[in-house]
Amino acid sequence: AQSVTQPDIHITVSEGASLELRCNYSYGATPYLFWYVQSPGQGLQLLLKYFSGDTLVQGIKGFEAEFKRSQSSFNLRKPSVHWSDAAEYFCAVGEDNYGQNFVFGPGTRLSVLP
Amino acid sequence: ETGVTQSPTHLIKTRGQQVTLRCSSQSGHNTVSWYQQALGQGPQFIFQYYREEENGRGNFPPRFSGLQFPNYSSELNVNALELDDSALYLCASSATDRVDTQYFGPGTRLTVL
């Protein structure tokens, strides 16, 4: 079965600084990988996904992520953080694109300093 | 176009009671999925309903059950509540059964005392 770790429980960055959120997964085959954002009082929103092809994927809100098979990682990056990016971020891995085969990580809470 | 809505926002129950949570799908969506998100954890897939039939289930006991109605709204029912059922329950609707097409509601916070 697949599993996901997000080593950083909480990260604080200054507005305008770059951001990298780490995600490591355990799965034997090529995984389906996702990043979601959850703001207080709002539902989860899909930022980006990787299924195959180019290992650098672009998402919404200026985010990107890179799939590195050799490191079993799918880290999320943003070159310049905005105060509105403060939220909880979840990495998820699946053996396909269906809910019952899909596991979320524990999340990383991002705080942004003015 | 309305988004996914859930009711109630918050709910407090005692151990052993039963609870019903409700979800209204986004217009045009025929698939609803339910997730449980315990405090400090990521969501866990409970089950999915497609055109009123269960279409996949996660590792949850039978006391977690659901319904989907002809208008594609949905209910999550939990019987014999346990303390560990305290969590945020998320509903997601979609026009297909694929995860990447889901739109999530804001959730219902259930507290079991």
Side-chain angles (χ1 to χ4, degrees), chain A residues 67-82:
Chain A
F67 169 55
K68 293 185 177 181
R69 184 189 302 274
S70 61
Q71 299 177 19
S72 297
S73 69
F74 188 56
N75 294 348
L76 182 71
R77 300 193 294 248
K78 186 170 185 178
S80 178
V81 170
H82 188 262

Side-chain angles (χ1 to χ4, degrees), chain B residues 19-47:
Chain B
V19 69
T20 297
L21 310 182
R22 294 177 175 84
C23 172
S24 291
S25 306
Q26 186 163 312
S27 176
H29 288 182
N30 56 17
T31 303
V32 174
S33 302
W34 286 92
Y35 294 81
Q36 180 195 65
Q37 185 177 9
L39 197 62
Q41 297 182 26
Q44 276 191 282
F45 176 78
I46 303 175
F47 45 55

Side-chain angles (χ1 to χ4, degrees), chain A residues 6 34 36 38 41-46 49 51 88 90 96-107, chain B residues 35 37 40-45 48 55-58 88 90 97-107:
Chain A
Q6 294 181 246
F34 308 79
Y36 287 85
Q38 186 176 40
Q42 299 186 28
L44 281 167
Q45 184 178 22
L46 180 64
K49 62 190 179 187
F51 293 169
E88 189 90 21
F90 294 94
D96 53 34
N97 195 7
Y98 300 97
Q100 61 265 42
N101 304 317
F102 185 71
V103 176
F104 282 87
Chain B
Y35 294 81
Q37 185 177 9
Q41 297 182 26
Q44 276 191 282
F45 176 78
Q48 181 184 82
N55 183 44
R57 188 178 183 93
L88 180 68
L90 298 171
D97 57 356
R98 300 196 320 268
V99 166
D100 65 336
T101 63
Q102 293 177 346
Y103 289 82
F104 283 82

Side-chain angles (χ1 to χ4, degrees), chain A residues 41-64:
Chain A
Q42 299 186 28
L44 281 167
Q45 184 178 22
L46 180 64
L47 288 174
L48 47 76
K49 62 190 179 187
Y50 172 80
F51 293 169
S52 63
D54 192 346
T55 57
L56 183 63
V57 294
Q58 302 297 320
I60 61 171
K61 304 187 179 188
F63 286 93
E64 67 177 26

Side-chain angles (χ1 to χ4, degrees), chain B residues 4-106:
Chain B
V4 180
T5 59
Q6 293 185 243
S7 62
T9 305
H10 296 90
L11 200 54
I12 299 175
K13 292 285 189 178
T14 56
R15 196 170 44 183
Q17 286 188 311
Q18 180 266 342
V19 69
T20 297
L21 310 182
R22 294 177 175 84
C23 172
S24 291
S25 306
Q26 186 163 312
S27 176
H29 288 182
N30 56 17
T31 303
V32 174
S33 302
W34 286 92
Y35 294 81
Q36 180 195 65
Q37 185 177 9
L39 197 62
Q41 297 182 26
Q44 276 191 282
F45 176 78
I46 303 175
F47 45 55
Q48 181 184 82
Y49 278 81
Y50 170 67
R51 292 188 175 181
E52 304 178 56
E53 297 287 331
E54 188 177 289
N55 183 44
R57 188 178 183 93
N59 189 25
F60 281 81
R63 61 188 184 85
F64 285 78
S65 63
L67 280 174
Q68 188 179 30
F69 300 100
N71 67 354
Y72 302 129
S73 65
S74 177
E75 286 182 353
L76 165 64
N77 299 290
V78 186
N79 294 322
L81 283 168
E82 300 177 0
L83 297 179
D84 285 349
D85 295 334
S86 295
L88 180 68
Y89 287 86
L90 298 171
C91 163
S93 77
S94 53
T96 75
D97 57 356
R98 300 196 320 268
V99 166
D100 65 336
T101 63
Q102 293 177 346
Y103 289 82
F104 283 82

Side-chain angles (χ1 to χ4, degrees), chain A residues 13-32:
Chain A
V13 300
S14 298
E15 191 169 18
S18 64
L19 172 70
E20 182 169 30
L21 302 182
R22 296 183 291 164
C23 171
N24 294 98
Y25 67 89
S26 173
Y27 183 61
T30 300
Y32 286 66

